[in-house]
Amino acid sequence: MNRDPQYNFAYLDEQTKRMIRRALLKAVAVPGYQVPFASREMPLPYGWGTGGIQVTASILTDQDTLKVIDQGSDDTTNAVSIRRFFQRTAGVEVTTATDKATVIQTRHRIPEHALAEGQVLVYQVPIPEPLRFMEPRETDTRTMHALEEYGVMHVKLYEDISLHGRIATSYNYPVLVNDRHVMSPSPIPRFDNPKMHMNPALQLFGAGREQRVYAVPPYTSVKSLDFEDHPFSIDTWDEPCALCGASDTYLDEIILDDGGARMFVCSDSDHCSRRQAMAAGMDSDHRAGSPAPAAGTEAA
Amino acid sequence: MDESLMIRVEGLFKRFTLHVQGGAVIEALHDVDLAVGQGECVALHGPSGSGKSTLLRSLYANYQPSRGKILVRHGEGYVDMASSAPRLVLAVRRETMAYVSQFLRVIPRVSALNLVTEPLLDLGAGEREALDRAKSLLTRLNIPERLWGLAPATFSGGEQQRVNLARGFCACKPVLLLDEPTASLDAANRNVVVDLILEAKAQGQAVVGIFHDEPVRDAVADRLFHLEAA
Amino acid sequence: MSAGPLIAAEGSGNGSARPLLAAESLSKWYGLRAACRDVSFELWPGEVLGVVGESGSGKTTLLQLLSGRLTPCGGRVFYHDGDDVVDVHAASEATRRGLARTQWGMVWQNPSDGLRLGASAGANIGERLMALGQRHYGNIRNTAVDWLRRVEIPEDRIDDPPAAFSGGMRQRLQIARNLVTAPRLVFMDEPTGGLDVSVQAKLLDLIRSLVARMNLAVVLVTHDLAVARLLAHRLMVMQGGRVVEQGLTDRVLDDPLHPYSQLLVSSVPRV
């Protein structure tokens, strides 16, 4: 799609983009620290990813390739809308392939395919303040972050254990970034938390309604909070993905009929279809009598 | 100078100014000097209003003298109760001086037994030892065992006073101040109190008391200290 | 008596050479009105200092100044933390908050002010421990159970929120929450205010025994002379922001010297 000339590149005016980039620089300088920014009026309501969009808009160049996912999928309504938005206002290349994107905007998942240096992952964040549920006052939470008073975070985890016998928080699981700031990783499943740790890519977080951005620079320590006798653990499933057979990805449950039939499928649609394509390629190779598959496709 | 001297009062004055009564002034004590030695019992003697109770309370620092000194032997030295810091006075009360008032001050929920053991426990005694001593005193003072675990709020006046006495005698402190110790007691219990005072003296405790009961006073006092109404 | 030296306060009693808390000429003005005027005193470990006076006498303002919650217009507050002396108002907010979390306690008249209402009783008690870095759930929970026992709250209430407790239980929970880190100094503002007499008695008994057992120093603000008589070693009588009289509790109550003290004591039927 060609860029619509009636809009400035990526919709926002240059001064706004500079303002957001200044905020992002500050965020990168203090990993996990929430930097206030003047959130702009966007052509979609709050709660639909305005923060993520403003961050993406501020860092896009015409050389970038953009991927947008929502709950791991490239083809849900929101992902499609946002991708089309940037195609129209920035004219950038778009892709569904994780390894081909330079900027990935996401809601509620981290791609399964490992990211590389030079890539940027932009998260959409509803509530950036991890202490908000325990402490409603902004003045108090800012002071708590400044003075590293994070006892109340473990109060929340304690309550989980006393209620459910284990830490029941399954998404938006709080993390300690760079051994200093407690951060909300946005509502990604806890399954994805380990991917944030020492990731070669730059991770940026935008909350439009709350007017905050924060960042995790490449190769930064990100540790999920837990107790010594209740260590952090990720989710597991009893079955592999019904489509591609993966047993190490985050699976969505799909109800098939009203008789209770269901199947589990990779949430990351790009990853799943690639795996399926590879398996099909191998099959056709087999049928054609070609040599054994390359070493990388089999466990050594 | 005599090391067995436990209390020395020098030039003590006490004037009450009753602001609530338009500034009326009462000269309760006028230039009082008193010395009390180890093992002796001094009975404060005088008509009503002569300042006996005022003097006794001043020794305990319950009243603040207007002028003068109240020197009490405490450990290796002595303390002026009239002018020392509160925590020092409290230390003297804890270790050196016991005071048996006319009426038991009842603390809610604290049993008679705990009231009696408290001074001994404050000195660091073991719980077993304190309990044994308390029980034996309560027994001597004819407080039935069924009352030991109860808070004395519902006891009779005499029973309360006997608990008060047990508390005062429990820790065997070097100085014992007694304000009308036998006031609400029958003859049998009066005799018990007399015995307790004599035993205290024999152990070297210095006793200062107000005794309206003449036979009791005659039995325990080594001398009378006369006070006159101002 | 010439045998033996005159004992001065420093060498006596509990063996410490410095007061735990010292206020020097504390003042706080609101416009032309002095809420607190030139208040000085020393508090030693294990001492309970009662501050009495009627509403508006400046007692609560004094408590706020001492605990660092209010900034004085004049004067200073010193706290002795081991060998260090902390000028409470000159120190950083981080220092003050650190002290408030570890070495100090604050018991409010309304327990809801001192509790986390959205957390269970166990979490309320354990929060300070977690804030100090304790990370073993089992140990934290056991400590909470232990403290519930000490303040006579049934153990099976550990997962209940404060809203499910009576006023007296909430107050005892607040005390447990504060004392779990074994503070050296506790500020109390009318801890028994608004409670039934029998509930009060239970609470007073608890405070009395905890103070003795833990050798706590306490600044206790109360308008109730009976509470002061029971809990305090020393009393300060405040009127119009000034300390008009101070001394041993029983001395101030039985032999009040200042006209205002005499008025206060005579106003109570039997103290």
Side-chain angles (χ1 to χ4, degrees), chain A residues 134-135 140 143-144 147 149-152 154-155 157-159 161-162 226-230, chain C residues 93-94 97 101 116 118-120 122-123 127 130-131 134-138 140-141 158-159:
Chain A
M134 273 291 179
E135 181 50 71
D140 278 24
T143 307
M144 288 157 89
L147 300 178
E149 292 182 2
Y150 290 130
V152 77
H154 277 88
V155 167
L157 300 178
Y158 168 102
E159 294 286 59
I161 300 173
S162 66
D226 60 8
F227 284 97
E228 288 164 14
D229 50 339
H230 288 266
Chain C
E93 187 173 356
R97 286 168 79 113
R101 239 196 335 270
R116 203 170 278 287
S120 66
E127 182 172 347
M130 293 187 253
Q134 279 203 30
R135 291 286 177 266
H136 194 280
Y137 173 82
I140 293 167
R141 195 174 172 84
I158 186 174
D159 295 320

Side-chain angles (χ1 to χ4, degrees), chain C residues 34-99:
Chain C
C36 213
R37 214 195 295 238
D38 205 25
V39 175
S40 304
F41 68 87
E42 289 179 340
L43 184 69
W44 295 74
E47 270 191 341
V48 178
L49 174 68
V51 183
V52 296
E54 294 171 332
S55 304
S57 58
K59 334 190 276 293
T60 301
T61 305
L62 177 61
L63 207 65
Q64 308 281 56
L65 291 170
L66 293 173
S67 59
R69 282 176 177 80
L70 209 57
T71 309
C73 299
R76 293 188 291 180
V77 180
F78 294 101
Y79 174 75
H80 282 91
D81 177 4
D83 283 325
D84 296 324
V85 181
V86 176
D87 180 333
V88 170
H89 294 284
S92 68
E93 187 173 356
T95 306
R96 271 198 297 278
R97 286 168 79 113
L99 280 176

Side-chain angles (χ1 to χ4, degrees), chain A residues 17-35 37 49-61 64 66-67 69 86 102-111 115-116 118-126 128 177 183-188 195-196 199-208 212-220 222:
Chain A
K17 286 192 272 185
R18 279 201 195 99
M19 176 272 292
I20 295 176
R21 285 199 289 263
R22 278 195 287 269
L24 288 171
L25 281 174
K26 194 185 250 181
V28 167
V30 189
Y33 167 72
Q34 300 164 53
V35 182
F37 79 105
T50 56
I53 291 172
Q54 287 178 81
V55 170
T56 299
S58 306
I59 64 173
L60 269 186
T61 71
D64 278 304
L66 178 69
K67 170 180 162 82
I69 49 173
F86 281 115
T102 56
V103 177
I104 303 167
Q105 179 166 332
T106 177
R107 172 179 171 270
H108 296 188
R109 285 273 1 252
I110 298 180
L115 300 173
Q119 289 185 296
V120 182
L121 185 59
V122 178
Y123 297 74
Q124 294 170 212
V125 179
V177 177
M183 181 186 96
S184 152
S186 85
I188 55 175
K195 297 190 180 74
M196 302 177 72
N199 197 310
L202 170 64
Q203 301 172 75
L204 301 178
F205 299 78
R212 299 280 186 276
V213 293
Y214 45 102
V216 177
Y219 301 111
T220 301
V222 177

Side-chain angles (χ1 to χ4, degrees), chain A residues 13-220:
Chain A
D13 59 278
E14 292 307 309
Q15 294 303 331
T16 296
K17 286 192 272 185
R18 279 201 195 99
M19 176 272 292
I20 295 176
R21 285 199 289 263
R22 278 195 287 269
L24 288 171
L25 281 174
K26 194 185 250 181
V28 167
V30 189
Y33 167 72
Q34 300 164 53
V35 182
F37 79 105
S39 182
R40 292 292 187 248
E41 200 179 64
M42 299 297 286
L44 75 176
Y46 291 134
W48 291 80
T50 56
I53 291 172
Q54 287 178 81
V55 170
T56 299
S58 306
I59 64 173
L60 269 186
T61 71
D62 53 13
Q63 306 298 311
D64 278 304
T65 305
L66 178 69
K67 170 180 162 82
V68 183
I69 49 173
D70 180 357
Q71 299 277 24
S73 165
D74 300 86
D75 52 13
T76 59
T77 310
N78 297 330
V80 168
S81 299
I82 295 172
R83 190 166 56 240
R84 267 221 292 261
F85 171 82
F86 281 115
Q87 279 180 294
R88 183 166 169 200
T89 60
V92 287
E93 287 291 314
V94 296
T95 179
T96 60
T98 304
D99 56 341
K100 298 222 171 34
T102 56
V103 177
I104 303 167
Q105 179 166 332
T106 177
R107 172 179 171 270
H108 296 188
R109 285 273 1 252
I110 298 180
E112 302 290 351
H113 188 90
L115 300 173
E117 284 183 23
Q119 289 185 296
V120 182
L121 185 59
V122 178
Y123 297 74
Q124 294 170 212
V125 179
I127 305 285
E129 177 53 71
L131 304 171
R132 182 63 64 229
F133 63 93
M134 273 291 179
E135 181 50 71
R137 290 166 289 195
E138 173 71 12
T139 45
D140 278 24
T141 51
R142 284 204 206 182
T143 307
M144 288 157 89
H145 281 293
L147 300 178
E148 256 182 293
E149 292 182 2
Y150 290 130
V152 77
M153 285 310 306
H154 277 88
V155 167
K156 162 77 165 59
L157 300 178
Y158 168 102
E159 294 286 59
D160 268 4
I161 300 173
S162 66
L163 255 174
H164 303 116
R166 56 185 181 82
I167 299 177
T169 307
S170 56
Y171 62 92
N172 201 8
Y173 192 105
V175 294
L176 182 67
V177 177
N178 205 29
D179 286 314
R180 177 55 181 87
H181 283 277
V182 168
M183 181 186 96
S184 152
S186 85
I188 55 175
R190 68 205 261 169
F191 181 87
D192 282 342
N193 275 21
K195 297 190 180 74
M196 302 177 72
H197 180 66
M198 302 305 266
N199 197 310
L202 170 64
Q203 301 172 75
L204 301 178
F205 299 78
R209 176 181 45 208
E210 297 294 313
Q211 311 199 45
R212 299 280 186 276
V213 293
Y214 45 102
V216 177
Y219 301 111
T220 301

Side-chain angles (χ1 to χ4, degrees), chain B residues 10-32:
Chain B
E10 293 175 0
L12 201 67
F13 287 77
K14 177 60 179 168
R15 158 190 294 162
F16 292 100
T17 306
L18 306 178
H19 298 280
V20 195
Q21 290 180 25
V25 170
I26 299 176
E27 304 280 354
L29 294 174
H30 187 87
D31 205 9
V32 172

Side-chain angles (χ1 to χ4, degrees), chain A residues 276-286:
Chain A
Q276 291 173 57
M278 235 165 24
M282 275 164 57
D283 277 349
S284 60
D285 285 339
H286 273 132

Side-chain angles (χ1 to χ4, degrees), chain A residues 67 69 72-74 96-99 109-114 191 195 241 243-251 265-279:
Chain A
K67 170 180 162 82
I69 49 173
S73 165
D74 300 86
T96 60
T98 304
D99 56 341
R109 285 273 1 252
I110 298 180
E112 302 290 351
H113 188 90
F191 181 87
K195 297 190 180 74
C241 170
L243 296 182
C244 74
S247 52
D248 61 348
T249 62
Y250 189 81
L251 302 181
V265 169
C266 287
S267 139
D268 186 334
S269 53
D270 172 57
H271 184 75
C272 193
S273 49
R274 299 247 225 134
R275 280 182 57 91
Q276 291 173 57
M278 235 165 24

